[in-house]
Amino acid sequence: MTSTLERPVAVIVVGGSLAGLMAGIALARQGHDVTLLERAQRHRPSGAALSVSESALRRILGPDHARAAARMAGPRDGDARADVPSTWAGLYEGLCRAAESEPRINLLHGARATGIGQDGDRAWASTDDGRRFEAGVLVGADGHRSLVRSAVAPDKPDALFAGYGLWLGVASERDLDYGGRWPGRFDILDSGDHVLLGYPLASPDGSTEPGERRLGWAWYDGTRNALFRRLGAVRGTAAHHSLRAADLDAGVVRELEREAGRRWPRPWRDAILDSMRRSEFAGTPIAEYVPEKLANGRIVLVGDAAHVPTPMTGRGFATSLDDAEALARHLRDVVAAGGPAALEAYEAERLAPARSLVLGGQGFSRSFTRAA
């Protein structure tokens, strides 16, 4: 995808998680100068897992970056366990390193965008430390609570609470007293108003040797909406933020532990109880957002800023990758077409697939919340 532009275009990307990093790298490889603003600090632990192929990453990162990012996310070279899912944290680290090696990217952590705007010639973003960044195009990749979305779709700025939550954690094999057969792939367990996804993971350094492996778990819970509301994670119709273990009182944790013991078999029960004993788990209210617009003038959306499906679709990352690839392709001819025209072409390509993804996931959400 690398090309040489006669006049490189300055681009601001607000949000430096997976979607923002992929968009920034894809644009930089086209010759654009990218300033990437990420509010969080560099270290981003997460127990989430996703399916990632090196061939898919190669489309926007190129062979070297794609190979390195895939290795960070999954089992190391030569490991026969290719079916082990990739880790969010490993992929994030791989993409960060790829972005940091790109000379056209200025990646700024701890840079929280507090305001954005545009006129006929430029777009801009201001940060909470008083800095102001200007560019020809501004990309919103700032997640389901996107600030940038309010400039693209001011009449519909918020992702809505889907009516259930997700508990998420990871446990190390060495901490589990489990002598049974180790899971070889995703496991999905249905318990009415609860659904559990369990998945084997490599160690942080990519090993799947016995004793070094990990188990990730994602517990969909349709029964604790009142808890999410009481602690401010859900406000009105909007999902606002996740809950850390430290946000929960001991009684809530004990209740979760009892329910895990009652509902889930080993080794998933063991992994959940271990995560809870270590207070290393989180709870997230599930949000959904069906887009009606992806671009407005010189401002455009990608990833969860553009569309928020339930994680049960399993397509959130792949769709964000498709967004990044399409945006880079349409901006390749930005000098001839102009920024707004290129972004309108991006919206024409990506809006229908984005809407279809979220609407399809809402079928699960409706059935799950009815069960709850």
Side-chain angles (χ1 to χ4, degrees):
M1 284 181 63
T2 303
S3 66
T4 301
L5 296 173
E6 294 180 6
R7 288 165 44 204
V9 176
V11 179
I12 300 167
V13 179
V14 177
S17 190
L18 303 187
L21 288 166
M22 289 190 296
I25 294 167
L27 291 166
R29 293 186 69 241
Q30 293 287 1
H32 301 292
D33 295 317
V34 178
T35 299
L36 209 160
L37 308 176
E38 168 53 37
R39 66 180 183 177
Q41 296 301 324
R42 177 68 162 74
H43 181 57
R44 299 281 298 277
S46 172
L50 61 168
S51 296
V52 177
S53 70
E54 183 180 325
S55 61
L57 290 173
R58 191 180 298 121
R59 301 202 312 261
I60 61 167
L61 304 186
D64 294 337
H65 286 336
R67 190 175 306 114
R71 288 173 182 169
M72 292 289 300
R76 58 191 174 209
D77 280 354
D79 198 308
R81 292 293 303 282
D83 56 336
V84 173
S86 301
T87 65
W88 187 99
L91 181 59
Y92 171 76
E93 178 64 24
L95 291 173
C96 272
R97 294 185 185 185
E100 289 162 350
S101 72
E102 283 286 347
R104 290 190 177 276
I105 293 180
N106 182 22
L107 174 54
L108 303 175
H109 286 93
R112 180 188 293 271
T114 55
I116 61 167
Q118 65 176 322
D119 57 26
D121 300 318
R122 64 202 168 130
W124 59 84
S126 57
T127 55
D128 57 0
D129 58 5
R131 289 180 289 176
R132 178 182 167 103
F133 301 86
E134 297 185 357
V137 170
L138 187 146
V139 180
D142 49 340
H144 83 271
R145 291 192 62 209
S146 172
L147 169 69
V148 181
R149 191 191 296 135
S150 62
V152 173
D155 296 332
K156 188 182 177 182
D158 296 326
L160 302 182
F161 178 48
Y164 55 101
L166 172 66
W167 306 101
L168 192 71
V170 173
S172 297
E173 182 179 8
R174 65 171 60 94
D175 296 326
L176 304 178
D177 182 20
Y178 178 67
R181 184 174 181 177
W182 195 254
R185 61 189 64 194
F186 277 100
D187 199 358
I188 302 178
L189 301 170
D190 190 344
S191 181
D193 47 10
H194 297 262
V195 172
L196 181 70
L197 272 62
Y199 37 92
L201 296 171
S203 70
D205 69 355
S207 173
T208 55
E209 290 296 318
E212 299 183 22
R213 300 167 294 191
R214 297 179 295 169
L215 290 179
W217 54 273
W219 175 359
Y220 291 85
D221 182 352
T223 66
R224 291 181 171 83
N225 293 348
L227 173 68
F228 285 106
R229 291 187 181 280
R230 176 168 61 83
L231 297 179
V234 175
R235 301 174 192 173
T237 60
H240 269 252
H241 60 79
S242 295
L243 300 175
R244 302 164 301 167
D247 297 324
L248 306 175
D249 62 44
V252 171
V253 177
R254 284 195 298 270
E255 181 183 287
L256 286 167
E257 289 174 337
R258 286 194 296 269
E259 189 156 10
R262 208 168 53 239
R263 287 187 181 274
W264 310 123
R266 303 183 73 186
W268 308 117
R269 176 181 66 218
D270 300 343
I272 294 170
L273 294 177
D274 176 73
S275 298
M276 290 182 175
R277 280 193 292 266
R278 290 181 290 106
S279 295
E280 293 187 9
F281 70 101
T284 299
I286 298 300
E288 292 175 321
Y289 183 80
V290 182
E292 295 176 359
K293 286 184 64 63
L294 299 181
N296 179 15
R298 295 182 175 274
I299 302 176
V300 66
L301 303 175
V302 299
D304 280 355
H307 42 74
V308 187
T310 172
M312 282 297 291
T313 66
R315 287 281 304 164
F317 173 77
T319 303
S320 297
L321 188 151
D322 291 342
D323 291 345
E325 182 183 28
L327 181 61
R329 178 166 22 85
H330 287 292
L331 280 177
R332 184 165 49 207
D333 301 320
V334 69
V335 174
L343 302 189
E344 288 169 8
Y346 162 81
E347 179 182 80
E349 176 181 337
R350 295 300 305 151
L351 183 58
R355 287 179 56 83
S356 178
L357 173 70
V358 184
L359 290 169
Q362 285 184 332
F364 166 82
S365 295
R366 284 193 294 269
S367 64
F368 186 65
T369 53
R370 278 198 298 269

